[in-house]
Amino acid sequence: IKMLAKQKLSYCIGIFLVVLRLAHAQYEYLGYPPGYPDPEQEQYTPPVLAADTPRIQLRLAGQKRKHNEGRVEVYYNGTWGTVCDDDFTIHGAQVVCKELGYQEAVSWVPSSKYGKGEEGPIWFDNLQCTGKERTLALCPSNGIGVSDCKHTEDVGVVCSDRRIPGFKFVNTLPNHVENLDIHVEDVRIRAILSSYRKRIPVTEGYVEVKDGGKWKQICNAEWNEFNSRVICGMFGFPGERKFNARVYKMFARRRKPTYWDFSVNCTGTEAHLSNCKLGQILAMKSNETCAGGMPVVVSCVPGRAFAPAPMTGYRKAFRQEQPLVRLRGGAIVGEGRVEVMKNGEWGTICDDHWNLLSATVVCRELGFGSAKEALSGGQLGQGMGPVHMNEVKCSGFEKSITECPFNKEALGCSHEEDAAVRCNVPAMGFEQRLRLRGGRNPFEGRVEVLMERNGSLVWGTVCSEGWGTMEAMVVCRQLGLGFASSAFQETWYWPGEVSADGVVMSGVRCSGTEMSLSHCLHHGPHLSCPRGGGRNSAGVSCSETAPDLVLNPQVVEQTTYMEDRLMFMLQCAYEENCLASNSDQTPANAYRRLLRFSSQIHNNGQSDFKPKAAKHLWVWHDCHRHYHSMEVFTTYDLFSLNGTKVAEGHKASFCLEDSECDEGIEKKYECANFGEQGITVGCWDTYRHDIDCQWVDITDVKPGDYIFQIVINPNYEVPESDYTNNITKCKCRYDGHRVWMYSCHNDGSLSSETEMMYPGLLNNQVTHR
């Protein structure tokens, strides 16, 4: 009987624990209330090394693209040196990263990619690490200082962003090493005053570091504005400002702080606190506070897009004038290809010597924080037009990238070398108010939003009426999942949370640039959704990459001509609505006058452009003997100088294929014999001037000056990384006998003053459907 009772008891305890876990999971997304103590974490214990193990310290240096990567440098025998790439493997990188407090290595790079260690010895050569060593000094090698390498062989590593929980910096050397990097688990700005605790983003408060699993304050005894600048930049703010120190002194007297053991020594150009150097060790007794000081406080100035209200100190933080730099082709706010304005024309920057210092100048100029990544090789898409700058060398304190020195003679770069950035942006918490449910992976699912209904926050679905690519783009951006690849108006195949079936948001209309779905136009408390939620609610599929179609304006300019063609030769075009609406009155032996030109459409994005419709849904046109994969792929319009449309045309995508490709790229799409349709990255599709419908019917147009406009993917059917460059505009002169195109350019490629010369047309902002 006792055994039976014990079994029942253990069974009940098991059920109770399962229920408890489920209950906890149900409310886990809400997080802890303010002031709730952090859960205890397992303490990090530094490795115990044998007495005869050489004592070294490591750091990452050189021309960094991220704060957690760089040339491996070793401090030994009072001197900083490097590591040779001979026999180096990912196992060696693993040892380096773990010794620096990162959870793992991502990759390693040979041949001094991060620059040469100009001074100092090469301490390690022919390292044979297994990946399990507790310090690089324990890896078998030729012996410390024994090397036949040159500094052109200095090795670098890329570590993961994630820190080892509880990691604590420990100086294992007998004498304190000056200029060691800081290694902490995490950093935060904790709002102290009630007025700042309610504000999003958090712009003012204590600077705290997590050390040994516990949050600690920093003594302000040796703190300066350079340190504050780095902290603000880390959290997405372009500058810092003064604050009311008296209030914080009163607060520090009431609550005794727990101080970190070190001071901080930043130069002000670092992208992250971990790139700053340690100051002196602050000898603290357990019963003392920061002698004569208080905890470090920073107050940051948010950029325009993140300011909750007009902020003081805003002008000081960054420029207010017409911007000379912009980002294009990025999936989220604060990332993209860098473009600069010069002589009234936008152009790109070549990636030679491109690093975090120069990238940070761009980020701060645009109202973001420091750069978390400096990207090269056209990784966020290629631009068109000129390359304005190369070998840019910023100090990090310039107000604009245009103030930085660069090599004016070395501009022989292609757009394959376009530089890009990813900036630190403020934590707005937008991603916590949206989720995807039911998908096969984290990148897809039914869209569920957290909305206030009847005084409480509830999860629910979004009405799918009118739901399209632009709305899906905003959802993917808000969740940090890249670009939209598809927008769904039915999600019956994705089981979402049953408790969230009800519609809580309807009438959503986005321009595609919003940071959050709640920023889009939508109905208020009075919802309207005839089909209801549940299986008919909105869904998305996201992708880290997207195509980007750009038309070559020079080809249009060079191939334009006029042709008079008999009506009986235009029968197929007539059936496909490629002529003016009054052409049905034209006798078979009469002429239609056609403005003809070629269009060369490049895919400068990061993934192939494919038609939205599946192959079995393509429409066969018997007259032309081809399939249409998109009903309207491009539109062609002729406008008077006051913006009135006088003639129009359109091109159905009858044959999307790779006509030509950049060197080294193979053609993938060929639409003959019902083949696959699309445009490969780095390739272009040319619609020749002599193809049916590659024209505008100008039979009834009077001689004069006009503006010609081409729009690619006009209905936004297929997601792209950048819609602003889908429009091409030309000036057009027609004298009744001949026609000329001139000043052709892609929208947004020229200054706003030049664009004003093209009135009444679509601009480079996505228009509402």
Side-chain angles (χ1 to χ4, degrees), residues 173-189:
L173 297 175
N175 297 316
H176 179 62
V177 181
E178 292 298 324
N179 295 328
L180 276 176
D181 290 346
I182 290 171
H183 303 310
V184 293
E185 298 162 54
D186 205 355
V187 188
R188 71 180 182 186
I189 300 175

Side-chain angles (χ1 to χ4, degrees), residues 165-302:
F167 180 85
K168 185 177 178 65
F169 172 84
V170 178
N171 185 3
T172 61
L173 297 175
N175 297 316
H176 179 62
V177 181
E178 292 298 324
N179 295 328
L180 276 176
D181 290 346
I182 290 171
H183 303 310
V184 293
E185 298 162 54
D186 205 355
V187 188
R188 71 180 182 186
I189 300 175
R190 181 163 70 94
I192 300 300
L193 307 182
S194 58
S195 58
Y196 282 95
R197 281 204 296 267
K198 297 172 185 175
R199 184 176 292 177
I200 296 176
V202 175
T203 58
E204 183 174 305
Y206 281 174
V207 177
E208 298 185 332
V209 296
K210 188 180 272 190
D211 186 24
K214 295 181 180 177
W215 288 103
K216 298 179 181 179
Q217 291 82 45
I218 302 174
C219 177
N220 73 346
E222 296 186 9
W223 193 263
N224 57 42
E225 64 180 13
F226 296 132
N227 299 335
S228 296
R229 175 181 167 86
V230 171
I231 295 294
C232 288
M234 273 177 62
F235 289 97
F237 305 116
E240 72 287 346
R241 60 178 180 181
K242 293 181 180 179
F243 57 90
N244 186 349
R246 191 180 305 165
V247 180
Y248 288 99
K249 281 183 182 175
M250 291 170 57
F251 187 86
R253 283 196 210 104
R254 290 204 306 269
R255 295 194 183 181
K256 189 176 178 181
T258 305
Y259 286 106
W260 192 40
D261 295 340
F262 301 95
S263 63
V264 176
N265 182 17
C266 302
T267 64
T269 62
E270 294 86 353
H272 193 276
L273 184 66
S274 62
N275 291 132
C276 295
K277 308 302 177 186
L278 283 169
Q280 67 181 49
I281 298 176
L282 300 173
M284 302 285 179
K285 293 181 181 177
S286 58
N287 60 350
E288 282 186 359
T289 57
C290 178
M294 55 178 270
V296 164
V297 177
V298 297
S299 184
C300 305
V301 184

Side-chain angles (χ1 to χ4, degrees), residues 371-390:
K372 59 184 174 184
E373 197 165 352
L375 297 158
S376 56
Q379 287 185 61
L380 294 185
Q382 297 180 23
M384 288 192 81
V387 178
H388 282 327
M389 301 174 80
N390 186 19

Side-chain angles (χ1 to χ4, degrees), residues 587-609:
N589 60 350
Y591 289 91
R592 300 298 298 182
R593 179 158 287 185
L594 307 174
L595 170 63
R596 308 199 72 151
F597 55 93
S598 296
S599 60
Q600 188 185 91
I601 298 170
H602 293 244
N603 182 359
N604 287 354
Q606 301 164 270
S607 60
D608 296 353
F609 183 94

